[in-house]
Amino acid sequence: MCIRDSKKPYLEFSGACAGCGETPYAKLATQLYGDKMYIANATGCSSIWGGSAPSTPYTVDENGHGPAWSNSLFEDNAEFGYGMYLAQKQIRERLAADAVTLSEAGVKEADAWLATYDDAAVNDKDAAALIDALKSASLSGDAKAAAEDFLKDADYAAKKYQFIFGGDGWAYDIGFGGLDHVIAQNEDVNIVVFDTEVYSNTGGQSSKSTPTGAIAQFAAAGKEVKKKDLAGIAMSYGYVYVAHVAMGADYNQCIKAIHEAESYHGPSIIIGYAPCINHGIKGGMSIAQTEEKKAVQAGYWHLYRFDPRLKAEGKNPFILDSKAPTADYKDFIMGEVRYNALARQNPERAEKLFGKAVQNAKDRYDYLLRYAKLYN
């Protein structure tokens, strides 16, 4: 893995709610890879703060390089991002064939470019060197034709990072079929899910990510069933990199997960806990990052990673990064209006649903412990 030296964020001033839990993940991703990343963004909060025409929070560096961002429909963003990846892949495969011809003609820079072909962290330098060499090279025949073809699509020569951004309404619900299809293709795409546990942009409706007991639109009396295990579904494939993160709880784990996801030449999905204004956090959105820490301490949200490469090395691919809960689950949720409102309106139902929620959290942690032992 290569950790980039650049710390410049390619996400500046967004139109998100103050304290939004989504923007820090996007900003961090751009700090790491923003000068050479494609972003396919599902419609939702992240497309509103990410691209409300005529403005955009994404920016460029002194070389004019920055995220290439595009918005897709709610339903098909995973397929849209996959299409972006396939288009780039097809062009670069043609350029690779050109590079082989150039290598045979004695162009050493072609060898260097081919050697780092799949490594976006360093391939840009070799691409630039090859492009410069071809502009001044004296070639003939097939080599000349290959050089002309390569230079025609020189912008695609350097390996790029393909990211797919979206919220839980897209990833867990409306766009899940497409997301599931894309991760099953075993191609090099990086999916980032901003998990607010509710349809944040359309009125706060309940999603399959909404936990038991939470009040939301269409779940005014508290949601009955438990939260969908999107990470578990992805891990079941065995060849998908999966990470469950909460930046405010463990910043280092979050950075490590993004680096591992990027360096894995296959599908990856990072699910980040993102406090939302719809949660009604006691103390307001200014403490959103602290709320993430409290969520992990209470066992409301767990931190873990699944890296298929470790299994190939004979190691346990599942790493549980968060410890056993040290805080009370009910005390945590009572600090948010989406839960404490139910306790005020219907105490008996709240006691019943919160009891189920506590048990769900315990079962979830036990499941993760068993998952870790399974590979041992």
Side-chain angles (χ1 to χ4, degrees):
M1 289 182 290
C2 177
I3 297 179
R4 301 284 307 286
D5 293 329
S6 174
K7 294 182 181 179
K8 172 186 172 63
Y10 289 78
L11 181 71
E12 295 184 307
F13 304 103
S14 73
C17 301
C20 172
E22 297 185 351
T23 53
Y25 295 110
K27 179 184 177 183
L28 178 58
T30 69
Q31 282 182 277
L32 298 171
Y33 310 114
D35 60 337
K36 42 191 171 183
M37 70 189 294
Y38 290 112
I39 302 175
N41 207 132
T43 296
C45 268
S46 56
S47 73
I48 303 306
W49 59 251
S52 293
S55 65
T56 173
Y58 294 100
T59 188
V60 298
D61 58 22
E62 63 278 6
N63 300 313
H65 296 161
W69 183 95
S70 191
N71 170 225
S72 179
L73 295 172
F74 217 172
E75 298 89 343
D76 67 358
N77 185 55
E79 300 96 313
F80 178 66
Y82 183 49
M84 292 171 69
Y85 167 80
L86 290 179
Q88 179 197 183
K89 181 183 179 182
Q90 185 174 38
I91 294 172
R92 296 190 77 240
E93 285 177 347
R94 194 186 79 245
L95 297 184
D98 290 336
V100 171
T101 299
L102 293 166
S103 174
E104 294 171 347
V107 181
K108 295 181 180 179
E109 290 83 358
D111 293 328
W113 180 78
L114 287 167
T116 61
Y117 178 81
D118 278 325
D119 190 348
V122 296
N123 184 243
D124 55 336
K125 295 178 181 177
D126 291 318
L130 177 54
I131 291 168
D132 288 342
L134 294 180
K135 287 179 178 178
S136 60
S138 179
L139 300 167
S140 61
D142 291 343
K144 181 180 180 180
E148 291 174 349
D149 186 64
F150 195 99
L151 291 174
K152 183 179 65 175
D153 283 321
D155 286 346
Y156 295 93
K159 166 77 171 172
K160 310 298 193 303
Y161 304 101
Q162 179 62 57
F163 279 84
I164 300 173
F165 286 176
D168 55 278
W170 159 69
Y172 285 72
D173 287 5
I174 294 177
F176 171 72
L179 184 150
D180 182 63
H181 173 72
V182 169
I183 63 174
Q185 302 311 303
N186 200 24
E187 294 284 4
D188 192 9
V189 296
N190 305 294
I191 301 170
V192 179
V193 179
F194 308 119
D195 196 344
T196 65
E197 300 188 325
V198 71
Y199 281 82
S200 299
N201 187 54
T202 55
Q205 294 93 340
S206 173
S207 80
K208 290 187 180 69
S209 176
T210 305
T212 303
I215 285 180
Q217 294 292 331
F218 306 124
K223 190 182 176 190
E224 282 274 1
V225 296
K226 66 180 181 180
K227 180 186 179 98
K228 179 178 180 177
D229 183 11
L230 180 61
I233 294 170
M235 287 190 290
S236 70
Y237 281 100
Y239 53 79
V240 179
Y241 178 89
V242 184
H244 223 236
V245 305
M247 185 183 292
D250 192 334
Y251 189 72
N252 289 332
Q253 188 257 1
C254 184
I255 292 180
K256 185 182 293 184
I258 296 175
H259 277 305
E260 290 176 347
E262 172 278 316
S263 65
Y264 178 60
H265 295 306
S268 68
I269 179 168
I270 297 173
I271 304 172
Y273 183 53
C276 174
I277 197 169
N278 283 293
H279 294 178
I281 299 171
K282 182 180 179 181
M285 290 299 291
S286 63
I287 62 167
Q289 293 290 302
T290 303
E291 192 73 358
E292 293 179 26
K293 184 176 182 179
K294 290 179 179 178
V296 172
Q297 290 174 336
Y300 182 91
W301 186 269
H302 303 290
L303 308 179
Y304 53 89
R305 291 166 291 132
F306 181 89
D307 191 338
R309 290 169 294 192
L310 296 177
K311 185 177 181 181
E313 297 171 5
K315 301 176 182 177
N316 190 343
F318 182 81
I319 305 101
L320 181 57
D321 292 309
S322 54
K323 300 178 181 178
T326 57
D328 186 79
Y329 185 99
K330 287 187 179 179
D331 286 347
F332 167 73
I333 63 174
M334 290 304 289
E336 298 186 357
V337 173
R338 57 175 172 159
Y339 290 105
N340 62 44
L342 181 61
R344 295 193 303 272
Q345 297 167 9
N346 193 334
E348 292 183 6
R349 180 172 172 79
E351 184 177 357
K352 173 187 173 184
L353 292 182
F354 293 170
K356 287 175 63 176
V358 169
Q359 189 59 50
N360 288 342
K362 291 179 179 178
D363 291 344
R364 178 66 181 159
Y365 188 71
D366 288 342
Y367 164 78
L368 294 175
L369 290 176
R370 292 197 301 273
Y371 213 89
K373 293 177 181 178
L374 173 66
Y375 287 97
N376 282 330

